Amino acid sequence: MTPTLGSLILYTRKIDAMATFYVDHFDYSCHALPDDRIVELRPKDNGTILLLHPAAKGARQGQAAVKLVFTVADVPAFCDASAAKGLVFGSLHHADGYVFANTKDPSGNSVSVSGRLANG
């Protein structure tokens, strides 16, 4: 039996802003129970569930040790559509048959969109 990554916990002090960010820009749906501290963000299709958990007061936000990478069919088109909705990505980077662009979420976590080039 091969284990699969089912969910990823993101510790944050900005639960509402983070939920809005991933719902608005990456098509997740938000699920929260009234007395639960964790907010579950589910992808509309297959993908990893994001769990937003309140960060401890002493926890550092936006560690560079984690980067969330979303696969998209057309990176430039996705970046253009995102910019129209207020999410600006950095410049496009091309390497070995793929292209990617980076941004940050409201807690300072690195977020990237990546895809294969049509002729790559």
Side-chain angles (χ1 to χ4, degrees):
M1 177 190 218
T2 303
T4 60
L5 180 64
S7 61
L8 179 70
I9 296 175
L10 297 173
Y11 294 93
T12 181
R13 291 186 199 97
K14 302 175 180 179
I15 297 278
D16 292 338
M18 292 281 283
T20 299
F21 177 85
Y22 287 101
V23 167
D24 288 353
H25 299 296
F26 293 97
D27 211 20
Y28 275 70
S29 59
C30 184
H31 303 271
L33 298 174
D35 294 327
D36 194 353
R37 293 176 22 163
I38 294 177
V39 172
E40 183 175 317
L41 301 176
R42 298 179 193 156
K44 297 260 170 116
D45 294 319
N46 292 329
T48 302
I49 293 169
L50 302 178
L51 302 173
L52 303 180
H53 189 289
K57 291 186 192 233
R60 289 183 59 196
Q61 300 285 281
Q63 294 292 313
V66 173
K67 179 185 249 185
L68 284 76
V69 180
F70 293 89
T71 302
V72 298
D74 185 334
V75 174
F78 184 89
C79 291
D80 289 344
S82 294
K85 296 191 308 185
L87 175 60
V88 177
F89 281 84
S91 57
L92 297 174
H93 301 279
H94 297 266
D96 297 327
Y98 68 95
V99 61
F100 68 94
N102 299 309
T103 192
K104 299 275 186 177
D105 71 16
S107 286
N109 298 302
S110 295
V111 176
S112 179
V113 289
S114 178
R116 290 278 169 207
L117 297 172
N119 61 357

